[in-house]
Amino acid sequence: MQTGYNPITPFNNPLIRFISDDKYRWIRHALFILMGLILAFKGDVGMSDPVQSAEVRKAVWLVDSVTFIFILGMLYLIMLVLIPRLLFRSRVFLFFLSIIIIIFLIYIVVYWLDLHYLRPVNPGNMQHIEFSVIHFIQIGAVCAVLLGAVIGLKVFKKWINDIRRMNELHEINLKTELEQLKSQVNPHFLFNTLNNLLVLTKTDQEKATQVLLGLSDLLRYQLYDSTREKIILTKDIAFIQNLLALEKIRKNDFTYTIHTNGNVDGQTLPPFLFIPFVENAIKHGASTVGHSYLTLNFNVADNQLHFSSENSKPAIKNATIGGIGLGNIKRRLELLYPGNHTLEIIDSADKYIVNLTIPL
């Protein structure tokens, strides 16, 4: 399907893919550690000089090894803990305070190792680390360049992935909008509904008026409200109510209930998060022979929305439950709430249950 979306060409660069794609993660880490080993021990290659005593060479290797392990640990602390939990959550002051503390700890470790291991074996022939502002600034400048490079790569990777996710979400939203536009005017659905309305105008004019208003609200929602980036939860629930009311006209032996708990008023969320589950329930429940039911629950608590759907299934299935609609909504949820939502689908012999939790 052509949606007018074109991927950004620079993102297809092999170097950018190597930096941002998770499938290269272990290769990146291996190269990072290897580069660190080369930089840490390149000055020790010449320590085989017979002028230097074995005791001095041993002390230098020990100091370099401990320094490398400690700095590597600090770098991974920054990459895995501080950047995701502080910098990416806009806690900038705490993040930079943590970086200053880490630089100070590196300086203390280097000074302590020099004082206890290098000076005793070679007090005069080496330039030793002093506990002074000048040496702190010198070591801090080197550490700041190293830490800044790591932070910059991490931020760059997140920026690339965010751009990719937004572009993919844009494409999914366009596809969802197109599919919804295709289903807005369903001739078969409208034909049955209008026929039922014609009967109701002769038997129950008040009910016919209510159904006509419901149909009008349903079409208005699909044409106008659903095009917005965010919609009000109560409008989404009202749309589902109208949809199920019209479905009940077509099938009398169909019962449905919608329960709401918590403060649902004023809550906003992206459109069409629940419609695929409801349409799936109608298709494979209400459209079958015999009695069928559908129960929906909307529960707002602790800044989260808990949605559940339970519908009956026919004894003899004539189609597979699921399909493209549910596949699209699963992917859309992954893009809208990456790692921050739960979706559970239980497909048993006689009923179909959906449990969804999303943040508000």
Side-chain angles (χ1 to χ4, degrees), residues 119-190:
R119 292 193 188 191
V121 299
N122 197 341
N125 294 335
M126 286 186 179
Q127 183 179 358
H128 296 287
I129 304 298
E130 301 294 341
F131 194 80
S132 64
V133 176
I134 298 298
H135 281 205
F136 173 75
I137 293 175
Q138 291 175 345
I139 294 177
V142 175
C143 292
V145 172
L146 178 62
L147 300 183
V150 172
I151 295 169
L153 284 175
K154 194 75 174 177
V155 172
F156 178 75
K157 177 187 174 183
K158 184 178 186 300
W159 177 73
I160 292 293
N161 290 332
D162 286 347
I163 294 295
R164 283 177 173 169
R165 187 165 61 245
M166 285 189 294
N167 289 336
E168 190 175 355
L169 179 59
H170 178 65
E171 186 177 12
I172 291 288
N173 284 338
L174 289 177
K175 185 177 180 180
T176 301
E177 182 179 354
L178 180 59
E179 290 176 349
Q180 194 62 33
L181 287 171
K182 289 179 180 178
S183 63
Q184 280 176 0
V185 182
N186 187 323
H188 184 68
F189 172 76
L190 285 176

Coordinates of all heavy atoms in Angstrom, one line a residue, residues 119-190:
R119 N 54.4 4.4 43.5 CA 55.4 5.1 44.2 C 56.3 4.2 45.1 O 57.5 4.5 45.1 CB 54.7 6.2 45.1 CG 54.0 7.3 44.3 CD 53.6 8.4 45.2 NE 52.8 9.4 44.5 CZ 52.5 10.6 44.9 NH1 52.9 11.0 46.1 NH2 51.7 11.4 44.2
P120 N 55.8 3.2 45.7 CA 56.7 2.4 46.6 C 57.8 1.7 45.7 O 58.9 1.5 46.2 CB 55.8 1.4 47.2 CG 54.4 2.1 47.3 CD 54.4 2.9 46.0
V121 N 57.5 1.3 44.5 CA 58.5 0.6 43.7 C 59.3 1.5 42.8 O 60.4 1.1 42.3 CB 57.8 -0.5 42.8 CG1 57.1 -1.5 43.7 CG2 56.8 0.1 41.8
N122 N 58.8 2.7 42.5 CA 59.5 3.6 41.6 C 59.2 5.1 42.0 O 58.4 5.7 41.3 CB 59.2 3.3 40.2 CG 60.2 4.0 39.2 OD1 60.9 4.8 39.5 ND2 60.2 3.5 38.0
P123 N 59.7 5.5 43.1 CA 59.3 6.9 43.6 C 59.8 8.0 42.8 O 59.1 9.1 42.8 CB 59.9 6.9 45.0 CG 61.1 6.0 44.9 CD 60.7 4.9 43.9
G124 N 60.9 7.9 42.0 CA 61.4 9.1 41.4 C 61.4 9.1 39.9 O 61.5 10.2 39.3
N125 N 61.3 8.0 39.2 CA 61.5 7.9 37.8 C 60.2 8.0 37.0 O 60.2 7.9 35.8 CB 62.2 6.6 37.4 CG 63.6 6.5 37.9 OD1 64.2 7.6 38.1 ND2 64.1 5.3 38.1
M126 N 59.1 8.2 37.7 CA 57.8 8.3 37.0 C 57.1 9.6 37.4 O 57.4 10.2 38.5 CB 56.9 7.2 37.4 CG 57.2 5.8 36.8 SD 55.9 4.6 37.2 CE 56.6 3.2 36.3
Q127 N 56.2 10.1 36.5 CA 55.4 11.2 36.9 C 54.2 10.7 37.6 O 53.3 10.0 37.0 CB 55.0 12.0 35.6 CG 54.2 13.2 35.9 CD 53.8 14.0 34.7 OE1 54.1 13.6 33.6 NE2 53.0 15.1 34.9
H128 N 54.1 11.0 38.9 CA 53.0 10.4 39.7 C 51.8 11.4 39.8 O 51.9 12.6 39.6 CB 53.5 10.1 41.1 CG 54.6 9.0 41.1 ND1 54.3 7.7 40.9 CD2 56.0 9.2 41.3 CE1 55.5 7.0 40.9 NE2 56.5 7.9 41.1
I129 N 50.7 10.8 40.2 CA 49.5 11.6 40.3 C 49.5 12.2 41.7 O 49.7 11.5 42.7 CB 48.2 10.7 40.2 CG1 48.2 9.9 38.8 CG2 46.9 11.5 40.3 CD1 48.2 10.9 37.6
E130 N 49.2 13.5 41.7 CA 49.2 14.2 43.0 C 47.7 14.6 43.4 O 46.9 14.7 42.5 CB 50.0 15.5 42.9 CG 51.5 15.3 42.6 CD 52.2 14.6 43.7 OE1 51.7 14.6 44.9 OE2 53.3 14.1 43.4
F131 N 47.5 14.7 44.6 CA 46.1 15.1 45.1 C 46.0 16.6 45.0 O 46.2 17.3 46.0 CB 45.9 14.5 46.5 CG 44.4 14.6 46.9 CD1 43.5 13.6 46.5 CD2 43.9 15.6 47.7 CE1 42.2 13.6 46.8 CE2 42.6 15.7 48.0 CZ 41.7 14.7 47.6
S132 N 45.7 17.1 43.8 CA 45.7 18.5 43.6 C 44.6 18.9 42.6 O 44.1 18.0 41.8 CB 47.0 19.1 43.2 OG 47.3 18.5 41.9
V133 N 44.2 20.2 42.6 CA 43.2 20.6 41.6 C 43.7 20.5 40.2 O 42.9 20.1 39.3 CB 42.8 22.1 41.9 CG1 41.8 22.6 40.9 CG2 42.2 22.2 43.4
I134 N 45.0 20.8 40.0 CA 45.5 20.7 38.6 C 45.4 19.3 38.1 O 45.0 19.1 36.9 CB 47.0 21.1 38.6 CG1 47.1 22.6 39.1 CG2 47.6 21.0 37.2 CD1 46.4 23.6 38.2
H135 N 45.8 18.3 38.9 CA 45.8 16.9 38.4 C 44.3 16.4 38.3 O 44.0 15.6 37.4 CB 46.5 16.0 39.3 CG 48.0 16.0 39.1 ND1 48.9 15.0 39.5 CD2 48.8 17.0 38.6 CE1 50.1 15.3 39.2 NE2 50.1 16.6 38.6
F136 N 43.4 16.9 39.1 CA 42.0 16.6 39.0 C 41.4 17.1 37.7 O 40.7 16.4 37.0 CB 41.2 17.1 40.2 CG 39.7 16.9 40.0 CD1 39.1 15.7 40.2 CD2 38.9 18.0 39.7 CE1 37.8 15.5 40.1 CE2 37.5 17.8 39.6 CZ 37.0 16.6 39.7
I137 N 41.8 18.3 37.3 CA 41.3 18.9 36.1 C 41.8 18.1 34.9 O 41.1 17.9 33.9 CB 41.7 20.4 36.0 CG1 40.9 21.2 37.1 CG2 41.4 21.0 34.6 CD1 41.3 22.7 37.2
Q138 N 43.1 17.8 35.0 CA 43.7 17.0 33.8 C 43.0 15.7 33.6 O 42.7 15.3 32.5 CB 45.2 16.8 34.1 CG 46.0 18.1 34.0 CD 47.5 17.9 34.4 OE1 47.9 16.9 35.0 NE2 48.3 18.9 34.1
I139 N 42.9 14.9 34.7 CA 42.2 13.6 34.6 C 40.8 13.8 34.3 O 40.2 13.1 33.5 CB 42.4 12.8 35.9 CG1 43.9 12.5 36.1 CG2 41.6 11.6 35.9 CD1 44.2 11.8 37.4
G140 N 40.1 14.8 34.8 CA 38.7 15.1 34.6 C 38.5 15.4 33.1 O 37.5 15.0 32.5
A141 N 39.4 16.1 32.5 CA 39.3 16.5 31.1 C 39.3 15.3 30.2 O 38.5 15.1 29.3 CB 40.3 17.5 30.7
V142 N 40.3 14.4 30.5 CA 40.4 13.1 29.7 C 39.1 12.3 29.9 O 38.6 11.7 28.9 CB 41.6 12.3 30.1 CG1 41.7 11.0 29.4 CG2 42.9 13.1 29.8
C143 N 38.7 12.2 31.1 CA 37.5 11.4 31.4 C 36.2 12.0 30.8 O 35.4 11.3 30.3 CB 37.2 11.3 32.9 SG 38.5 10.3 33.8
A144 N 36.2 13.3 30.8 CA 35.0 14.0 30.2 C 34.9 13.7 28.7 O 33.8 13.5 28.2 CB 35.1 15.5 30.4
V145 N 36.1 13.7 28.0 CA 36.1 13.4 26.6 C 35.6 11.9 26.4 O 34.7 11.7 25.5 CB 37.5 13.6 26.0 CG1 37.5 13.1 24.5 CG2 37.9 15.0 26.0
L146 N 36.1 11.0 27.2 CA 35.7 9.6 27.0 C 34.2 9.4 27.3 O 33.5 8.8 26.6 CB 36.5 8.7 27.9 CG 36.2 7.2 27.9 CD1 36.4 6.6 26.6 CD2 37.1 6.5 29.0
L147 N 33.8 9.9 28.5 CA 32.4 9.8 28.9 C 31.4 10.5 27.9 O 30.3 10.0 27.6 CB 32.1 10.3 30.3 CG 33.0 9.6 31.4 CD1 32.6 10.2 32.8 CD2 32.8 8.1 31.4
G148 N 31.9 11.7 27.4 CA 31.1 12.4 26.4 C 30.9 11.7 25.2 O 29.8 11.7 24.6
A149 N 31.9 11.0 24.7 CA 31.8 10.2 23.5 C 30.8 9.0 23.7 O 30.0 8.8 22.8 CB 33.2 9.6 23.1
V150 N 30.8 8.4 24.8 CA 29.9 7.3 25.1 C 28.5 7.8 25.2 O 27.6 7.2 24.6 CB 30.3 6.5 26.4 CG1 29.2 5.5 26.8 CG2 31.7 5.8 26.2
I151 N 28.3 8.9 25.9 CA 27.0 9.5 26.0 C 26.4 9.9 24.7 O 25.3 9.7 24.4 CB 27.0 10.7 27.0 CG1 27.3 10.2 28.4 CG2 25.7 11.4 27.1 CD1 27.7 11.3 29.4
G152 N 27.3 10.6 23.9 CA 26.9 11.0 22.6 C 26.4 9.9 21.7 O 25.4 10.0 21.0
L153 N 27.1 8.8 21.7 CA 26.7 7.6 20.9 C 25.4 7.0 21.4 O 24.5 6.7 20.6 CB 27.8 6.5 20.9 CG 29.1 6.8 20.1 CD1 30.1 5.7 20.3 CD2 28.7 6.8 18.6
K154 N 25.2 7.0 22.7 CA 24.0 6.5 23.2 C 22.8 7.4 22.9 O 21.7 6.9 22.5 CB 24.1 6.4 24.8 CG 23.0 5.5 25.4 CD 23.3 4.1 25.2 CE 22.3 3.2 26.0 NZ 22.4 1.8 25.8
V155 N 23.0 8.7 23.0 CA 21.9 9.6 22.6 C 21.6 9.6 21.1 O 20.5 9.6 20.7 CB 22.3 11.1 23.0 CG1 21.3 12.1 22.5 CG2 22.4 11.2 24.5
F156 N 22.7 9.4 20.3 CA 22.5 9.3 18.8 C 21.7 8.1 18.5 O 20.8 8.1 17.6 CB 23.9 9.3 18.2 CG 23.8 9.1 16.7 CD1 23.4 10.2 15.9 CD2 24.2 7.9 16.1 CE1 23.4 10.0 14.5 CE2 24.1 7.8 14.7 CZ 23.7 8.8 13.9
K157 N 22.0 7.0 19.1 CA 21.3 5.7 18.9 C 19.8 5.9 19.2 O 19.0 5.5 18.5 CB 21.9 4.6 19.7 CG 21.2 3.3 19.5 CD 21.7 2.2 20.5 CE 20.9 1.0 20.4 NZ 21.3 -0.1 21.4
K158 N 19.5 6.5 20.4 CA 18.1 6.7 20.8 C 17.4 7.6 19.8 O 16.3 7.4 19.4 CB 18.0 7.3 22.2 CG 16.6 7.4 22.7 CD 16.5 8.0 24.1 CE 15.1 8.0 24.6 NZ 14.2 8.8 23.8
W159 N 18.1 8.7 19.3 CA 17.5 9.6 18.4 C 17.1 8.9 17.1 O 16.0 9.0 16.5 CB 18.5 10.7 18.1 CG 17.9 11.7 17.1 CD1 16.9 12.6 17.2 CD2 18.4 11.9 15.7 NE1 16.8 13.3 16.1 CE2 17.6 12.9 15.1 CE3 19.4 11.2 15.0 CZ2 17.8 13.3 13.8 CZ3 19.6 11.6 13.7 CH2 18.8 12.6 13.1
I160 N 18.1 8.1 16.6 CA 17.8 7.3 15.4 C 16.6 6.4 15.5 O 15.7 6.3 14.7 CB 19.1 6.5 14.9 CG1 20.2 7.4 14.5 CG2 18.7 5.5 13.8 CD1 19.9 8.2 13.2
N161 N 16.6 5.6 16.7 CA 15.5 4.7 16.9 C 14.2 5.4 17.1 O 13.1 4.9 16.7 CB 15.8 3.8 18.1 CG 16.9 2.8 17.8 OD1 17.1 2.4 16.7 ND2 17.7 2.4 18.8
D162 N 14.2 6.6 17.7 CA 13.0 7.4 17.9 C 12.4 7.8 16.6 O 11.2 7.8 16.3 CB 13.2 8.6 18.8 CG 13.3 8.1 20.3 OD1 13.0 7.0 20.6 OD2 13.8 9.0 21.1
I163 N 13.3 8.3 15.7 CA 12.9 8.7 14.4 C 12.3 7.6 13.6 O 11.2 7.7 12.9 CB 14.0 9.4 13.6 CG1 14.5 10.7 14.3 CG2 13.7 9.7 12.2 CD1 13.5 11.8 14.3
R164 N 12.9 6.4 13.7 CA 12.4 5.3 13.0 C 11.1 4.9 13.5 O 10.2 4.5 12.7 CB 13.4 4.1 13.1 CG 14.6 4.2 12.3 CD 15.6 3.0 12.6 NE 16.7 3.0 11.6 CZ 17.8 2.2 11.8 NH1 17.8 1.4 12.8 NH2 18.7 2.2 10.9
R165 N 10.9 4.9 14.8 CA 9.6 4.5 15.4 C 8.5 5.5 15.1 O 7.4 5.1 14.8 CB 9.8 4.4 17.0 CG 8.5 3.8 17.6 CD 8.8 3.4 19.1 NE 9.2 4.5 19.9 CZ 10.4 4.6 20.5 NH1 11.3 3.7 20.2 NH2 10.7 5.6 21.2
M166 N 8.8 6.8 15.1 CA 7.8 7.8 14.7 C 7.4 7.6 13.2 O 6.2 7.7 12.9 CB 8.4 9.2 14.9 CG 8.4 9.6 16.4 SD 8.8 11.3 16.7 CE 10.5 11.4 16.1
N167 N 8.4 7.3 12.3 CA 8.1 7.1 10.9 C 7.2 5.9 10.7 O 6.3 5.9 10.0 CB 9.4 7.0 10.1 CG 10.1 8.3 10.0 OD1 9.5 9.4 10.1 ND2 11.4 8.3 9.8
E168 N 7.6 4.8 11.5 CA 6.8 3.6 11.4 C 5.4 3.8 11.9 O 4.4 3.3 11.4 CB 7.5 2.4 12.1 CG 6.9 1.1 11.8 CD 7.7 0.0 12.4 OE1 8.8 0.2 13.0 OE2 7.2 -1.2 12.4
L169 N 5.3 4.5 13.1 CA 4.0 4.8 13.6 C 3.2 5.6 12.7 O 1.9 5.4 12.6 CB 4.2 5.5 15.0 CG 2.9 5.9 15.7 CD1 2.1 4.7 16.0 CD2 3.2 6.7 17.0
H170 N 3.8 6.6 12.0 CA 3.1 7.4 11.0 C 2.5 6.5 9.9 O 1.4 6.7 9.5 CB 4.0 8.5 10.5 CG 3.4 9.3 9.4 ND1 2.4 10.2 9.7 CD2 3.7 9.5 8.1 CE1 2.0 10.8 8.6 NE2 2.8 10.4 7.6
E171 N 3.3 5.6 9.5 CA 2.8 4.7 8.4 C 1.7 3.8 8.9 O 0.7 3.6 8.1 CB 4.0 3.9 7.9 CG 3.6 3.0 6.7 CD 4.8 2.2 6.1 OE1 5.9 2.2 6.8 OE2 4.7 1.7 5.0
I172 N 1.8 3.3 10.1 CA 0.8 2.4 10.6 C -0.5 3.2 10.8 O -1.6 2.7 10.5 CB 1.2 1.9 12.0 CG1 2.3 0.8 11.8 CG2 0.0 1.2 12.7 CD1 1.9 -0.5 11.2
N173 N -0.4 4.5 11.3 CA -1.6 5.3 11.5 C -2.3 5.6 10.1 O -3.5 5.6 10.0 CB -1.2 6.6 12.1 CG -0.9 6.5 13.6 OD1 -1.4 5.5 14.2 ND2 -0.2 7.4 14.2
L174 N -1.5 5.9 9.1 CA -2.0 6.1 7.8 C -2.7 4.8 7.3 O -3.8 4.9 6.7 CB -0.9 6.5 6.8 CG -0.3 7.9 6.9 CD1 0.8 8.1 5.9 CD2 -1.4 9.0 6.8
K175 N -2.1 3.7 7.5 CA -2.7 2.4 7.1 C -4.1 2.2 7.8 O -5.1 1.8 7.3 CB -1.8 1.3 7.3 CG -2.3 0.0 6.8 CD -1.2 -1.1 7.0 CE -1.7 -2.5 6.5 NZ -0.6 -3.5 6.7
T176 N -4.0 2.5 9.2 CA -5.2 2.3 10.0 C -6.3 3.2 9.5 O -7.5 2.9 9.4 CB -4.9 2.6 11.4 OG1 -3.9 1.7 11.9 CG2 -6.2 2.4 12.3
E177 N -5.9 4.5 9.2 CA -6.9 5.5 8.7 C -7.5 5.0 7.4 O -8.7 5.2 7.2 CB -6.2 6.8 8.6 CG -7.2 8.0 8.1 CD -6.5 9.3 8.0 OE1 -5.3 9.4 8.4 OE2 -7.1 10.2 7.6
L178 N -6.7 4.5 6.5 CA -7.2 4.1 5.2 C -8.1 2.9 5.4 O -9.2 2.9 4.7 CB -6.0 3.7 4.3 CG -6.4 3.2 2.9 CD1 -7.2 4.2 2.1 CD2 -5.1 2.8 2.1
E179 N -7.8 2.0 6.2 CA -8.7 0.8 6.5 C -10.0 1.3 7.1 O -11.1 0.7 6.7 CB -8.0 -0.2 7.4 CG -6.8 -0.9 6.7 CD -6.1 -1.9 7.7 OE1 -6.4 -1.8 8.9 OE2 -5.3 -2.6 7.2
Q180 N -9.9 2.3 8.0 CA -11.2 2.8 8.6 C -12.0 3.5 7.5 O -13.2 3.4 7.5 CB -10.8 3.7 9.7 CG -12.0 4.0 10.6 CD -12.5 2.7 11.3 OE1 -11.8 1.8 11.6 NE2 -13.8 2.7 11.6
L181 N -11.4 4.2 6.6 CA -12.1 4.9 5.6 C -12.8 3.9 4.7 O -14.0 4.1 4.2 CB -11.2 5.8 4.8 CG -10.7 7.1 5.4 CD1 -9.7 7.8 4.6 CD2 -11.9 8.0 5.7
K182 N -12.2 2.8 4.4 CA -12.8 1.7 3.6 C -14.0 1.1 4.3 O -15.0 0.7 3.6 CB -11.8 0.6 3.3 CG -10.6 1.0 2.4 CD -9.7 -0.1 2.2 CE -8.5 0.2 1.3 NZ -7.6 -0.9 1.1
S183 N -14.0 1.1 5.6 CA -15.1 0.5 6.3 C -16.2 1.5 6.8 O -17.1 1.1 7.4 CB -14.6 -0.3 7.5 OG -14.0 0.6 8.5
Q184 N -15.9 2.8 6.5 CA -16.9 3.8 7.0 C -18.2 3.6 6.4 O -19.3 3.7 7.0 CB -16.3 5.2 6.7 CG -15.3 5.6 7.7 CD -14.7 7.0 7.4 OE1 -15.1 7.6 6.4 NE2 -13.8 7.4 8.2
V185 N -18.3 3.3 5.1 CA -19.6 3.2 4.4 C -19.6 1.7 3.9 O -19.2 1.4 2.8 CB -19.7 4.2 3.2 CG1 -21.0 4.0 2.5 CG2 -19.5 5.6 3.7
N186 N -20.1 0.9 4.8 CA -20.3 -0.5 4.5 C -21.7 -0.7 3.9 O -22.7 -0.7 4.7 CB -20.1 -1.4 5.7 CG -20.1 -2.8 5.4 OD1 -20.9 -3.3 4.6 ND2 -19.2 -3.6 6.1
P187 N -21.9 -0.9 2.6 CA -23.3 -0.9 2.1 C -24.1 -2.0 2.7 O -25.3 -1.8 3.0 CB -23.0 -1.2 0.6 CG -21.6 -0.8 0.3 CD -20.9 -1.0 1.6
H188 N -23.6 -3.2 3.0 CA -24.3 -4.3 3.6 C -24.8 -3.9 5.0 O -26.0 -4.1 5.3 CB -23.5 -5.5 3.6 CG -24.3 -6.7 4.1 ND1 -25.3 -7.3 3.4 CD2 -24.1 -7.4 5.3 CE1 -25.8 -8.3 4.1 NE2 -25.1 -8.4 5.3
F189 N -23.9 -3.3 5.8 CA -24.3 -2.9 7.1 C -25.4 -1.8 7.1 O -26.4 -1.9 7.8 CB -23.0 -2.4 7.8 CG -23.3 -1.8 9.2 CD1 -23.6 -2.5 10.3 CD2 -23.3 -0.4 9.3 CE1 -23.9 -2.0 11.5 CE2 -23.6 0.2 10.5 CZ -23.8 -0.6 11.6
L190 N -25.2 -0.8 6.2 CA -26.1 0.3 6.1 C -27.5 -0.2 5.6 O -28.5 0.2 6.1 CB -25.6 1.4 5.2 CG -24.5 2.3 5.8 CD1 -24.0 3.3 4.8 CD2 -25.0 3.0 7.0

